[in-house]
Amino acid sequence: ARLAQQSLRFWSTLTPIWRWAHARHPLTGTLDLKRQDILDYLDQRLAAGYAASTLNTELRSLHAFLLYLQEQDVRLPLALLRLPFLKEPDRLPRFLTDEQVRRVRDDIEQRVTAARFAAQRRDAVLDRAAFYLMWHGGLRLGEVEELRLEDLDLPNRKVMVRQGKGQQDRAVYVTAATVQAVRDYLAQRG
């Protein structure tokens, strides 16, 4: 469902390395790219303030592309396949305060009641259902987007998440408010 987005993201993370290396000295083939070029690129980007996680994403894209080239029997320096990733600091979880959640909920509820047209109301109740599934059910955005009607067991207040994080299926039990929000959307959707 997200192939176009992922392809664009892949190429946009791979392009800066190649542009930088080519501007440094014109590349005529894969053997012209050296390990030191990539290390110099990383040093320059770190000095410019880029985060280690951003640079690791670029390195992963480069590594995937080089593996693809190797599978296509393109000769390349093997040292490029053994580039070290940068150490990333431990990430602290980011969460909304109770006040922030209340404001988001109130805004969504206000949009439902203020909707003048059928299309506005449909979109507002869809947003409300998605919000409650994420808030009360703990679903990720991608999991909500991939839900199908057969995944909903509303009488038992259960939602089946297929191929969630780690490509695992799981059953999620939801609150009565979530069930009502989903029912409102399904009634509006028709």
Side-chain angles (χ1 to χ4, degrees):
R2 296 191 180 112
L3 181 61
Q5 278 180 321
Q6 295 295 351
S7 296
L8 183 61
R9 186 174 295 130
F10 171 80
W11 288 110
S12 66
T13 57
L14 184 60
T15 303
I17 295 174
W18 290 103
R19 282 189 177 157
W20 185 87
H22 191 71
R24 192 167 183 198
H25 56 83
L27 302 174
T28 58
T30 55
L31 292 175
D32 292 342
L33 186 62
K34 305 292 184 218
R35 177 185 173 100
Q36 191 59 47
D37 292 332
I38 303 303
L39 296 176
D40 291 345
Y41 171 79
L42 294 174
D43 288 342
Q44 185 224 5
R45 298 282 271 191
L46 284 170
Y50 286 88
S53 59
T54 301
L55 298 176
N56 282 337
T57 299
E58 292 178 357
L59 283 175
R60 278 190 284 281
S61 294
L62 175 65
H63 189 259
F65 184 64
L66 293 174
L67 286 175
Y68 169 78
L69 291 176
Q70 189 178 40
E71 289 173 4
Q72 303 303 311
D73 296 326
V74 173
R75 292 189 56 214
L76 50 98
L78 294 179
L80 289 178
L81 294 174
R82 292 189 288 271
L83 286 169
F85 289 100
L86 301 174
K87 174 119 176 77
E88 295 182 33
D90 291 335
R91 292 186 190 172
L92 296 174
R94 289 184 286 165
F95 59 90
L96 298 177
T97 65
D98 291 342
E99 174 62 22
Q100 290 169 324
V101 171
R102 185 191 61 73
R103 288 193 341 237
V104 169
R105 184 200 61 213
D106 291 348
D107 180 63
I108 288 173
E109 294 295 346
Q110 187 274 333
R111 288 188 332 179
V112 170
T113 57
R116 289 184 178 172
F117 305 106
Q120 287 176 330
R121 177 151 174 79
R122 183 192 65 235
D123 290 346
V125 294
L126 172 61
D127 290 346
R128 180 173 60 188
F131 171 74
Y132 275 97
L133 283 165
M134 290 186 285
W135 180 32
H136 288 182
L139 275 71
R140 294 166 181 82
L141 177 60
E143 294 169 343
V144 171
E145 291 173 339
E146 297 295 325
L147 283 178
R148 299 178 302 237
L149 281 174
E150 58 265 18
D151 296 333
L152 303 175
D153 182 4
L154 297 181
N156 293 317
R157 295 181 15 185
K158 183 169 79 169
V159 175
M160 284 300 300
V161 176
R162 309 234 183 253
Q163 302 292 301
K165 186 171 184 178
Q167 300 302 307
Q168 299 291 319
D169 295 348
R170 72 180 192 280
V172 176
Y173 293 90
V174 295
T175 64
T178 304
V179 169
Q180 189 58 50
V182 171
R183 281 192 173 131
D184 288 349
Y185 169 67
L186 292 174
Q188 184 71 34
R189 183 189 83 136

